[in-house]
Every structure is written in C-alpha cells, then in structure tokens.
Amino acid sequence: VSNAGVGMAGPLECQSLAAMQSLMDTNFFGLVRLVKEVLPDMKRRRGGHIVVISSIMGLQGIVFNDIYAASKFAVEGFCESLVVQALRFNVAISLVEPGPVMTEFEAKLYEEAERADYSRTDPETADIFTNLYLRNSKDVFASLGQTPEDIAEHTLRVIEAARPPFRHQTNVAYTPMAALKHADPSGALMTEAFYKLVFKYDTVLRLGLR
C-alpha cells in the first residue's frame, strides 16, 4: 500500500519551484521507487497486489490545487500505463481515490495557507483564494469530508476483493464531478460548470453544503 503524500494549495505565483519538486518527489516518485522495489518479486511469483492511495484530484483538477493535482494525475497515468503489463504476471494494481478526508494533513495545509504571503500574486487572485476558496473548502470538508477510518475500510475492501478493481472512489458525492469530463471530451462542459460554481453560484454552493 502506497500512502505517502504532501499537499499544496494556493496561487501558482506564490509557490516555489523547489517546493513543487519536493511534492512531486514524495507524491509521484515515492510511488515509483516503491513499485520498482516490489514489482520484480511479484512478477517472479506471478502474484501480488499494489494498492495506491490516489485522489479524486487525480481525475479532476481543482482550482488552486494545480501542483497537487498534477502529482495525482501523474500517479494515475503511471498506474494506468502499468496495469496491463502487471496483469500479464497476475499482479493487480488498485487506485483508491478519496475526496476530502478530515485529518491533521488537511488542517495543517489550510492553517499554513491562511498565514501565507500572497504578495507575489495580484490582489484579485489573492482575494479569490482567501475569501472564496479557503472559505468554501472548509464547508466542503465539513459537509463531504470522510474520516481516515472510512478510507481505511474502503481500502480494506479493495485489498480483500476477489477481483480487485483498478479504480475505487470512496465518496459518491464526487462521481458527477468526474463524469463531467467524460460527458464532453472538449472540456467545455466541465470548465463552464466549475467556473459558475466558483464565481457565480458560490453562495448557493455554501448554503447547499451547510
């Protein structure tokens, strides 16, 4: 089970390249290093199961989570490319894709975001992040967040499955969000829906979550 991860949220201009590289080294290359270690023996034994804790953000990018989403997209692409070869050796790969999870990981991330310096971006972007994104995120976590124990139960079911699924989403509330991309290959439907949700109907969104 690969579960190492770090988060990053905020305006792109306020994040250093070094911090981005460190995040990718943990979230993506950490997984790659693990798989390189365990896969050869699993192939020799012709049996094994690699379970990767991904994220719904590996399927759908979320505003102000550019680099974190990129790392999870990399995880998804890596596993999707590897799974066919692995099946040839009777090795299963499963991606567990949670939405928001109520842990100290997220609490620390948002505490740091509230104290961060946003002078390197324009005032409008800083205002959108602090007064729209952070506020809405708290409501999202309070309304839709899962406990670590819930994610552990989902992961256990994936591990014990007779035919392990390649992808397993833990929160049905996010299924429509992921489906928008497949409904319109041009991306216009998904982009317009999220734009309206963030900038036009944010009050309705908060009321609905509460």
Side-chain angles (χ1 to χ4, degrees), residues 61-134:
I62 301 295
V63 63
F64 291 119
N65 284 268
D66 324 78
I67 306 305
Y68 179 78
S71 73
K72 292 300 184 178
F73 267 67
V75 164
E76 295 270 334
F78 172 71
C79 292
E80 193 170 280
S81 300
L82 195 61
V83 65
V84 174
Q85 179 207 144
L87 284 173
R88 177 70 177 177
F89 294 88
N90 194 37
V91 175
I93 296 176
S94 295
L95 289 158
V96 177
E97 298 162 335
V101 184
M102 296 175 291
T103 66
E104 292 181 6
F105 176 97
E106 279 76 18
K108 182 181 177 184
L109 181 65
Y110 288 111
E111 284 174 8
E112 291 175 352
E114 288 176 343
R115 297 193 304 266
D117 174 17
Y118 299 114
S119 61
R120 284 175 289 174
T121 190
D122 59 277
E124 184 177 0
T125 299
D127 180 66
I128 291 168
F129 178 67
T130 55
N131 293 320
L132 277 181
Y133 173 81
L134 288 179

Side-chain angles (χ1 to χ4, degrees), residues 6 8 15-26 67:
V6 292
M8 180 182 288
Q15 297 162 349
S16 72
L17 192 60
M20 297 177 194
Q21 290 171 330
S22 177
L23 180 144
M24 290 297 294
D25 189 54
T26 298
I67 306 305

Side-chain angles (χ1 to χ4, degrees), residues 9-189:
L12 184 66
E13 307 94 308
C14 301
Q15 297 162 349
S16 72
L17 192 60
M20 297 177 194
Q21 290 171 330
S22 177
L23 180 144
M24 290 297 294
D25 189 54
T26 298
N27 292 8
F28 175 62
F29 287 107
L31 168 64
V32 173
R33 286 192 290 268
L34 175 67
V35 172
K36 277 175 65 69
E37 288 295 323
V38 302
L39 186 61
D41 188 57
M42 288 182 174
K43 288 165 75 172
R44 280 192 295 270
R45 290 188 284 114
R46 291 195 172 264
H49 189 187
I50 298 169
V51 179
V52 181
I53 306 302
S54 181
S55 169
I56 196 68
M57 277 194 255
L59 301 176
Q60 172 64 62
I62 301 295
V63 63
F64 291 119
N65 284 268
D66 324 78
I67 306 305
Y68 179 78
S71 73
K72 292 300 184 178
F73 267 67
V75 164
E76 295 270 334
F78 172 71
C79 292
E80 193 170 280
S81 300
L82 195 61
V83 65
V84 174
Q85 179 207 144
L87 284 173
R88 177 70 177 177
F89 294 88
N90 194 37
V91 175
I93 296 176
S94 295
L95 289 158
V96 177
E97 298 162 335
V101 184
M102 296 175 291
T103 66
E104 292 181 6
F105 176 97
E106 279 76 18
K108 182 181 177 184
L109 181 65
Y110 288 111
E111 284 174 8
E112 291 175 352
E114 288 176 343
R115 297 193 304 266
D117 174 17
Y118 299 114
S119 61
R120 284 175 289 174
T121 190
D122 59 277
E124 184 177 0
T125 299
D127 180 66
I128 291 168
F129 178 67
T130 55
N131 293 320
L132 277 181
Y133 173 81
L134 288 179
R135 183 172 56 178
N136 287 343
S137 291
K138 289 177 181 177
D139 289 339
V140 167
F141 271 86
S143 177
L144 302 176
Q146 294 176 274
T147 65
E149 290 78 14
D150 193 16
I151 303 303
E153 289 293 336
H154 278 272
T155 305
L156 182 61
R157 288 200 291 272
V158 168
I159 291 170
E160 293 180 335
R163 297 185 65 181
F166 175 57
R167 283 192 170 97
H168 176 81
Q169 294 174 26
T170 69
N171 193 327
V172 295
Y174 283 82
T175 301
M177 182 178 80
L180 282 175
K181 291 182 72 170
H182 298 288
D184 176 16
S186 77
L189 179 62

